[in-house]
Amino acid sequence: MEGAEESASVDLDKYLAKYQSSLQGADLLIWEQGSRNDRGQLEISGGNKGIVTFNLVVNSADVDIHSSFGGVIDSAAWYLIKALSTMRDQDGTILIKGIKEQVTPPSQRELDLVERFALRTPEGVTEVYGLTIPPLKTERSAFLHHLFFEPSLNIEGIESGYQGHGVKTILPARSRAKMEVRLVPGLTPELVLEKIRQHLDEHGFEKVELTFTLGEMSYRSDMSAPAILNLIQIAEEHEKKGISVLPTSPGTGPMHTVFTFLGVPIAGFGLGHEKSRDHGGDENIRLVDYYSHIALVESLIGSYA
């Protein structure tokens, strides 16, 4: 068990380096990620996206300025908003040169697995999260391709100016956005940040300060390793409603770090379900899935007896 997954597992590589000789040689590594889809099928996936997170900060003046100057003085808030608007288009496509060009395209087997087994839909996501604005992708194939195989640029949080009671007529002197790019094979955190810095400078936003916070590489398996095929066969026998085999998940974790040190086939299946609402205030699992997961792990261990 490794408890720093939500903060980029910053010391995991040191642990793996120290105990590499003891941990190498395993047949299979079971990852904790995964859920059941809306048909009740257990999803078994062989990878995840990477991530790079960073802060964008603008300091436009020594102090906040009276907003009567708003027609003649730019503010940190407007400056940052304009910079952000150049980085992504209306349908979510990243506009930063040198990122999309480096993406490793999925193999035909990976495409086929997603086409056959992936059941996530724009309508389903809208229902689960109660979306009040439309999804960026509404056609199934485009939705799935971007979900599993394309990088995404996201605003985690944004802050600027006065947020207290009433009003305060100012032009904010400081604005900050917490940002992330979800990575796919072919992209490294360092490369992406370099391209973002170049983009901001080329578009006249050199006053935006960019600070790296954390990063992880992506990993993807085609699910063809003998140990993974053995797991799939056991799961098919165990799961009455069937299984869903995916080459990757849209989430992030340190799979690439583990695989780099151990070289062991990795497959993930977990305790979630289609309405688990991951990272929401009411994130949840069902007890029946918990017990079923135990039984499947027992059967898998038994196959090596």
Side-chain angles (χ1 to χ4, degrees):
M1 295 185 181
E2 185 269 318
E5 186 266 340
E6 290 297 343
S7 54
S9 306
V10 292
D11 289 319
L12 181 59
D13 57 338
K14 299 182 181 69
Y15 178 89
L16 292 170
K18 182 177 181 179
Y19 296 104
Q20 184 176 20
S21 61
S22 299
L23 294 170
Q24 282 179 324
D27 295 290
L28 178 68
L29 191 151
I30 297 297
W31 209 260
E32 45 71 39
Q33 76 182 16
S35 65
R36 294 179 183 275
N37 59 32
D38 59 9
R39 295 180 185 173
Q41 299 170 330
L42 180 69
E43 291 185 347
I44 302 176
S45 60
N48 51 34
K49 285 186 173 181
I51 194 171
V52 58
T53 68
F54 54 98
N55 293 334
L56 296 181
V57 177
V58 175
N59 292 292
S60 62
D62 291 337
V63 295
D64 293 337
I65 302 169
H66 195 285
S67 63
S68 62
F69 288 99
V72 294
I73 294 178
D74 211 353
S75 71
W78 278 116
Y79 190 93
L80 181 58
I81 288 170
K82 287 186 290 185
L84 292 174
S85 67
T86 69
M87 299 168 69
R88 198 188 82 161
D89 69 10
Q90 294 298 312
D91 70 355
T93 300
I94 297 175
L95 298 177
I96 300 164
K97 289 189 300 183
I99 291 183
K100 189 175 179 60
E101 294 83 350
Q102 296 298 320
V103 170
T104 302
S107 68
Q108 190 59 51
R109 174 172 168 75
E110 291 165 346
L111 291 170
D112 291 344
L113 287 173
V114 166
E115 175 64 27
R116 176 182 175 186
F117 289 111
L119 296 182
R120 298 266 179 93
T121 64
E123 297 78 14
V125 172
T126 298
E127 178 184 356
V128 168
Y129 292 104
L131 297 184
T132 58
I133 55 178
L136 294 171
K137 306 295 180 183
T138 56
E139 192 272 325
R140 178 180 181 271
S141 62
F143 177 87
L144 292 177
H145 195 276
H146 279 76
L147 181 64
F148 287 101
F149 301 124
E150 293 288 341
S152 61
L153 172 67
N154 311 309
I155 300 173
E156 297 178 350
I158 189 167
E159 61 182 15
S160 186
Y162 179 70
Q163 301 297 328
H165 293 293
V167 298
K168 187 177 183 182
T169 55
I170 61 167
L171 304 179
R174 178 179 172 85
S175 187
R176 180 178 70 161
K178 286 186 173 290
M179 306 289 296
E180 69 174 48
V181 175
R182 295 279 171 161
L183 307 179
V184 295
L187 298 176
T188 67
E190 296 78 11
L191 170 72
V192 169
L193 286 191
E194 176 187 340
K195 298 303 180 183
I196 290 173
R197 180 70 269 170
Q198 291 176 1
H199 173 89
L200 292 170
D201 293 343
E202 290 173 0
H203 285 74
F205 296 105
E206 65 281 350
K207 299 298 184 183
V208 177
E209 301 173 11
L210 186 155
T211 305
F212 167 82
T213 50
L214 61 85
E216 287 181 332
M217 296 279 286
S218 58
Y219 170 81
R220 191 187 298 160
S221 168
D222 67 0
M223 307 299 282
S224 63
I228 295 180
L229 295 178
N230 177 58
L231 166 64
I232 291 172
Q233 180 180 347
I234 293 170
E236 287 176 330
E237 297 170 355
H238 183 272
E239 296 292 325
K240 295 180 180 179
K241 294 184 179 181
I243 63 171
S244 171
V245 181
L246 299 169
T248 188
S249 82
T252 292
M255 272 194 189
H256 182 275
T257 300
V258 174
F259 186 81
T260 297
F261 281 94
L262 305 184
V264 60
I266 303 174
F269 59 94
L271 304 178
H273 59 98
E274 80 281 4
K275 292 183 172 63
S276 286
R277 295 166 72 109
D278 298 350
H279 288 355
D282 56 351
E283 183 174 354
N284 64 90
I285 64 169
R286 299 179 295 216
L287 289 177
V288 64
D289 296 333
Y290 178 79
Y291 297 127
S292 177
H293 190 278
I294 292 173
L296 176 55
V297 171
E298 287 179 338
S299 297
L300 177 62
I301 293 173
S303 73
Y304 287 92

